[in-house]
């Protein structure tokens, strides 16, 4: 049973990622008063890309060009496996929050390597922007985690200040400094995912697709899968660091499994009818989200929906505006949060 | 039918190539991609690079300057791909037939590069978005 669980988990994470990217496209469509793509659209996209020709530009640095997507994919897969392991099996090691921060940089690093190896002017502009963006958001992200470490320092066991599993038992977001840090980290995650307003490196309208310009076929599919996995891993990480982790209140298996199956069947039924009526379409989405909430993924859905709404209500920033936003505004807010958290820790005031 | 073709039908990413259109066809192509027609329902999406594309939406007669680029864009498109010729001009040079700047019907130019290219014609001056969608559907069901 246990071994089976660890065998299913990798495809399971991939499926979850594809469903998450469907939710992103579907909710964006609903915001724009459209119908949006069918449930299996991300899977169709990946399947199609797998079957297409792989073109390698003449001047490209072949080895880096070919391995970069796999490095990025492997990094995100490792990150999501680690987060799952901490959530499900409650196993962790001291200092895993630092490993997670490193693994979270890996996709952007792979993107920078891959696009700079592809010998395309559009991609190289994209690379420069991606590099600046990484420098922009890494600082506030790390500062936000510093706030969390200070906030939780009093409540976790000695020597466990940097352990994600211990931090996931606390909810630092229910305080002024924690909330500031959470909002800043949410925007950093938005930038890591390359969503509007921070899709500066991809910039469909001016750079074609920027960093991914020269990729085709299975390599592009690897990038798409990486992005889908990041849609799972990064919000998961936020939930564990700021919102107190996942606590599924699962009923006993003999009651829970039939209910889950029934809910999935209702979901499938409403999806089949979705082409006929808008009501069924929205209803199926609501059923699905309800199921997620019931299975203890409510906080994840909350963060995902927040990210989608920010994505759909903002125009793209210029790279200098993004840098200024992250360093000046987020920086100042986070320094204030660190001072507040330190004061709160020193005088034992929890809401600061 | 192979899995490759089946999934291609389910997810068509289009790239728009203008080879000397009067801009009217281009406006209608962009019109087709607006929320009103919502082609994302069928998995159709506009992409910014021919390497990502499954379908090229070609508009215009193919002027001497543009056909050089058209050949290159076709070569750079990951196969299998479909070429849609949008508008009377692209289908057979239209009102510009015999013009000094016309390098020939677009389909012949693409066949020079690849004799087995899948080419579909959507006539009209300009064709309506409905006509384009219907053309896409017909081609995909004939593949
Ligand atoms: S077909 Fe008509 S509308 Fe289209 S480019 Fe030619 S002249 Fe313009």
């Amino acid at each position: 049973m246990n071994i089976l669980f660890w065998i299913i988990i990798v495809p399971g994470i991939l499926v979850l990622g594809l469903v998450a990217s469907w939710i992103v496209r579907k909710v964006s469509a609903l915001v724009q008063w459209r119908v949006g793509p069918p449930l299996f659209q991300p899977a169709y996209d990946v399947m199609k890309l797998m079957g297409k020709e792989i073109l390698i530009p003449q001047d490209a640095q072949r080895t880096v060009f070919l391995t970069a997507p796999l490095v990025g994919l492997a990094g995100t897969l490792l990150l999501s496996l680690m987060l799952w392991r901490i959530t499900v099996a409650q196993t962790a090691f001291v200092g895993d929050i630092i490993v997670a921060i490193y693994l979270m940089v890996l996709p952007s690093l792979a993107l920078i390597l891959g696009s700079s190896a592809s010998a395309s002017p559009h991609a190289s502009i994209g690379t420069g922007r991606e590099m600046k963006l990484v420098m922009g958001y890494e600082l506030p992200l790390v500062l936000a985690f510093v706030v969390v470490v200070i906030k939780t320092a009093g409540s976790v066991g000695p020597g466990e200040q940097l352990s994600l599993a211990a931090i996931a038992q606390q909810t630092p977001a229910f305080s002024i400094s924690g909330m500031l840090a959470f909002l800043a980290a949410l925007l950093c995650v938005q930038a890591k995912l390359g969503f509007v307003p921070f899709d500066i490196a991809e910039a469909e309208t001016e750079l074609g697709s920027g960093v991914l310009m020269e990729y085709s076929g299975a390599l592009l599919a690897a990038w798409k899968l990486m992005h889908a996995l990041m849609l799972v891993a990064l919000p998961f990480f936020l939930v564990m660091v700021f919102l107190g982790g996942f606590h599924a209140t699962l009923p006993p298996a003999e009651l829970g499994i039939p209910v889950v199956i029934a809910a999935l069947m209702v979901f499938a039924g409403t999806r089949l009818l979705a082409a006929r009526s808008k009501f069924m379409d929205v209803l199926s989405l609501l059923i699905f989200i309800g199921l997620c909430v019931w299975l203890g993924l409510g906080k994840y859905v909350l963060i995902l929906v927040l990210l989608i709404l920010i994505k759909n209500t903002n125009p793209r920033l210029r790279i200098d505006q993004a840098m200024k936003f992250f360093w000046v505004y987020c920086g100042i807010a986070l320094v204030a949060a660190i001072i507040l958290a330190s004061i709160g820790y020193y005088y034992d005031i929890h809401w600061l | 039918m192979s899995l490759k073709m089946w999934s291609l039908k389910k997810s068509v990413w289009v790239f728009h190539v203008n080879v000397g259109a009067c801009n009217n066809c281009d406006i209608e192509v962009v019109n087709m991609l607006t929320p009103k027609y919502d082609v994302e329902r069928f998995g159709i999406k506009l992409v910014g690079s021919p390497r990502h594309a499954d379908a090229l939406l070609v508009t215009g007669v193919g002027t001497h300057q543009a056909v050089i680029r058209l050949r290159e864009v076709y070569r750079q498109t990951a196969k299998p791909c479909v070429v849609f010729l949008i508008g009377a001009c692209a289908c057979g040079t239209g009102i510009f037939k015999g013009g000094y700047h016309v390098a020939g019907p677009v389909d012949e130019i693409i066949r020079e590069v690849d004799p087995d290219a899948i080419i579909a014609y959507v006539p009209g001056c300009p064709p309506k978005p409905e006509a384009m969608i219907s053309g896409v559907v017909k081609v995909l069901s004939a593949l």
Side-chain angles (χ1 to χ4, degrees):
Chain A
M1 180 64 202
N2 209 357
I3 295 171
L4 196 67
F5 179 76
W6 291 112
I7 291 173
I8 326 182
I9 196 133
V10 173
I13 298 174
L14 285 176
V15 168
L16 196 61
L18 291 177
V19 171
S21 43
W22 173 70
I23 291 186
V24 170
R25 288 171 71 172
K26 184 76 188 177
V27 174
S28 307
L30 290 179
V31 171
Q32 294 166 3
W33 210 245
R34 294 188 281 129
V35 175
L39 174 58
F40 292 111
Q41 192 58 50
Y44 294 147
D45 288 352
V46 169
M47 265 169 65
K48 173 205 72 183
L49 287 173
M50 289 287 182
K52 291 205 70 155
E53 189 188 8
I54 298 178
L55 296 156
I56 301 173
Q58 207 174 2
D59 303 331
Q61 217 291 332
R62 291 178 67 100
T63 332
V64 181
F65 185 78
L66 291 174
T67 45
L70 304 178
V71 170
L73 188 60
T76 21
L77 208 53
L78 199 60
L79 177 66
S80 6
L81 266 179
M82 201 176 105
L83 297 180
W84 269 109
R85 207 168 155 73
I86 296 171
T87 315
V88 181
Q90 300 286 351
T91 49
F93 48 94
V94 170
D96 47 8
I97 195 168
I98 296 182
V99 179
I101 291 176
Y102 271 108
L103 285 179
M104 274 169 24
V105 191
L106 214 53
S108 323
L109 215 60
L111 211 54
I112 290 171
L113 279 178
S115 65
S116 54
S118 62
S120 147
H122 285 84
S124 65
I125 297 175
T127 315
R129 292 183 180 188
E130 176 78 24
M131 251 189 246
K132 286 179 204 120
L133 198 62
V134 171
M135 285 183 195
Y137 64 66
E138 277 310 314
L139 177 74
L141 198 60
V142 172
L143 284 180
F145 294 146
V146 170
V147 174
V148 171
V149 171
I150 297 175
K151 280 306 295 179
T152 55
S155 350
V156 300
E160 288 202 324
Q161 276 90 346
L162 288 179
S163 152
L164 200 52
I167 289 175
Q169 308 296 325
Q170 317 289 328
T171 43
F174 292 150
S175 61
I176 298 174
S177 57
M179 202 61 202
L180 274 176
F182 171 64
L183 291 178
L186 188 72
L187 290 167
C188 294
V189 163
Q190 185 95 7
K192 264 193 189 297
L193 287 169
F195 276 177
V196 193
F198 303 113
D199 65 333
I200 311 169
E202 268 192 45
E204 285 270 315
T205 36
E206 24 175 307
L207 291 187
S209 32
V211 278
L212 298 183
M213 186 93 190
E214 300 293 331
Y215 278 96
S216 61
L219 295 177
L220 187 61
W223 287 124
K224 294 282 165 199
L225 276 178
M226 183 191 92
H227 194 258
L229 279 177
M230 280 164 76
L231 269 180
V232 178
L234 297 182
F236 257 58
F237 189 65
L238 282 188
V239 170
M240 293 170 88
V241 173
F242 291 98
L243 301 181
F246 297 97
H247 300 287
T249 45
L250 285 180
E254 59 270 25
L255 186 72
I257 289 172
V259 174
V260 171
I261 291 174
L264 281 177
M265 278 169 70
V266 175
F267 172 65
T270 41
R271 282 307 313 159
L272 284 179
L273 291 173
R276 308 268 160 112
S277 84
K278 184 115 187 159
F279 173 71
M280 283 297 177
D281 197 22
V282 179
L283 186 67
S284 73
L285 197 66
L286 289 180
I287 289 176
F288 188 75
I289 288 179
L291 189 66
C292 288
V293 172
W294 188 65
L295 287 176
L297 291 174
K299 293 171 190 167
Y300 168 70
V301 173
L302 176 80
I303 290 194
L304 197 60
V305 169
L306 272 179
L307 290 173
I308 300 170
L309 290 183
I310 298 175
K311 173 180 190 256
N312 276 295
T313 45
N314 285 286
R316 178 166 61 243
L317 294 178
R318 277 198 324 263
I319 183 70
D320 57 319
Q321 290 169 327
M323 291 288 275
K324 195 170 166 198
F325 174 77
F326 279 126
W327 278 20
V328 180
Y329 300 120
C330 286
I332 290 175
L334 285 167
V335 168
I338 288 182
I339 293 171
L340 280 180
S342 309
I343 295 174
Y345 177 64
Y346 194 74
Y347 293 104
D348 220 10
I349 313 170
H350 286 297
W351 50 266
L352 261 185
Chain B
M1 175 179 32
S2 70
L3 201 59
K4 206 161 142 181
M5 274 326 207
W6 181 79
S7 52
L8 182 74
K9 282 184 193 181
K10 290 284 183 183
S11 133
V12 188
W13 292 0
V14 299
F15 180 73
H16 176 197
V17 197
N18 179 336
V19 285
C22 75
N23 213 18
N24 211 339
C25 279
D26 306 271
I27 290 172
E28 292 300 317
V29 166
V30 175
N31 189 3
M32 181 187 77
L33 298 163
T34 52
K36 184 180 175 192
Y37 297 98
D38 188 19
V39 283
E40 202 184 2
R41 284 177 298 164
F42 315 118
I44 301 177
K45 198 173 95 171
L46 184 71
V47 290
S49 159
R51 290 190 195 279
H52 303 182
D54 309 302
L56 297 177
L57 302 181
V58 184
T59 57
V61 278
T63 58
H64 285 294
Q65 301 223 351
V67 289
I68 310 166
R69 279 86 188 174
L70 177 64
R71 288 193 196 105
E72 199 51 39
V73 165
Y74 183 79
R75 278 192 214 109
Q76 302 294 325
T77 309
K79 311 291 174 313
C81 75
V82 187
V83 181
F84 285 96
L85 305 183
I86 306 279
C89 288
C91 290
T93 65
I95 55 167
F96 298 107
K97 192 174 172 73
Y100 69 96
H101 63 300
V102 177
V106 178
D107 51 354
E108 280 175 19
I109 289 160
I110 286 175
R111 291 233 194 271
E112 275 170 29
V113 184
D114 176 7
D116 305 323
I118 308 170
I119 301 184
Y121 304 84
V122 183
C125 183
K128 285 189 165 213
E130 287 92 338
M132 292 181 210
I133 297 174
S134 134
V136 172
V137 170
K138 275 186 186 154
V139 170
L140 292 185
S141 38
L143 270 185

